[in-house]
Amino acid sequence: QKEVEQDPGPLSVPEGAIVSLNCTYSNSAFQYFMWYRQYSRKGPELLMYTYSSGNKEDGRFTAQVDKSSKYISLFIRDSQPSDSATYLCAMTPGFQKLVFGTGTRLLVSP
Amino acid sequence: EPEVTQTPSHQVTQMGQEVILRCVPISNHLYFYWYRQILGQKVEFLVSFYNNEISEKSEIFDDQFSVERPDGSNFTLKIRSTKLEDSAMYFCASSPPGGVGNQPQHFGDGTRLSIL
């Protein structure tokens, strides 16, 4: 079983839709969970950072962590064409090494 | 907003040659990292560096790799004898003080390394 699993997509949605992106993981030691956005030929850009279970909201973005199910989600409300990118989940037990998912490619059409 | 900068953006090197990838982390950050991303694959951890020494390294980070912080602002990754399979995007990241694992890592835009 892979340590972090993420559907590579692509996920295609119309502008204004609510987008749900997900990752599952197997290592119960993971405590810190991140979502990064990566545009083509650019580095990962930090979107959301959460510790342990619960929800966190920042503008149109909401991150959810369910440690009992080993499942994390990122929701994007009112999606825009500029949200078209690859979304990477990443996590760590609290040490320095980040373990990434493969990334989900999101396409938001006008 | 402060950012991590990496140079060059693209490096083309002959197999067997040495290459140095350079990074300027965010100025008040104390933890530094290198990751790589082979085309079509996930981002993989290579090494972390704190207080002028390696704090963790992956299986990928073998004897051909080394890191250095030669001065107060630069952080470098050296690959001694490059192989075709070293072709990848190499990302530098840094995170601020605040305890191990407490602070998120911020990434540069990467150096695309092409080995011929």
Side-chain angles (χ1 to χ4, degrees):
Chain A
Q1 185 182 8
K2 291 183 181 176
E3 207 167 10
V4 179
E5 300 216 40
Q6 186 176 9
D7 188 331
L11 175 63
S12 295
V13 301
E15 182 176 356
I18 296 174
V19 174
S20 172
L21 303 165
N22 312 292
C23 287
T24 59
Y25 62 95
S26 58
N27 188 346
S28 57
F30 288 141
Q31 296 280 355
Y32 298 87
F33 303 91
M34 284 134 279
W35 286 95
Y36 287 87
R37 177 173 63 194
Q38 187 176 26
Y39 291 112
S40 180
R41 298 185 180 275
K42 291 288 191 178
E45 173 194 359
L46 182 68
L47 282 178
M48 301 290 283
Y49 177 69
T50 53
Y51 169 68
S52 197
S53 285
N55 293 0
K56 185 175 182 178
E57 188 174 320
D58 184 1
R60 296 186 295 113
F61 299 93
T62 299
Q64 285 185 353
V65 175
D66 181 350
K67 288 190 69 183
S68 63
S69 302
K70 297 190 179 68
Y71 188 88
I72 70 170
S73 301
L74 177 71
F75 296 96
I76 307 174
R77 288 182 298 281
D78 188 26
S79 56
Q80 302 295 309
S82 57
D83 294 328
S84 297
T86 297
Y87 289 79
L88 311 173
C89 65
M91 47 200 80
T92 175
F95 305 111
Q96 296 172 20
K97 167 187 167 183
L98 286 183
V99 180
F100 281 85
T102 53
T104 298
R105 190 164 153 236
L106 173 65
L107 303 171
V108 182
S109 53
Chain B
E1 185 174 327
E3 56 183 27
V4 176
T5 57
Q6 291 185 243
T7 54
S9 57
H10 188 197
Q11 174 80 46
V12 181
T13 302
Q14 292 288 330
M15 185 172 60
Q17 296 297 304
E18 176 182 287
V19 65
I20 297 176
L21 309 182
R22 302 179 191 280
C23 170
V24 178
I26 296 172
S27 63
N28 67 333
H29 287 189
L30 297 181
Y31 299 87
F32 313 112
Y33 317 84
W34 285 100
Y35 292 80
R36 81 171 185 191
Q37 186 175 31
I38 294 171
L39 185 64
Q41 297 186 25
K42 64 180 182 179
V43 177
E44 299 176 287
F45 170 78
L46 291 177
V47 66
S48 58
F49 190 87
Y50 170 70
N51 200 25
N52 281 320
E53 60 183 28
I54 290 173
S55 46
E56 187 178 3
K57 60 183 182 179
S58 72
E59 292 175 353
I60 304 167
F61 194 88
D62 61 21
D63 291 344
Q64 69 166 147
F65 291 92
S66 61
V67 290
E68 192 178 31
R69 187 151 164 84
D71 53 41
S73 58
N74 291 284
F75 181 51
T76 62
L77 174 69
K78 182 191 291 186
I79 309 175
R80 255 180 285 280
S81 178
T82 50
K83 305 170 190 167
L84 293 176
E85 55 264 37
D86 294 329
S87 295
M89 283 290 289
Y90 287 81
F91 293 109
C92 173
S94 66
S95 60
V100 172
N102 291 15
Q103 300 295 330
Q105 297 175 26
H106 298 263
F107 284 74
D109 279 340
T111 292
R112 183 155 63 104
L113 178 62
S114 300
I115 307 300
L116 304 180

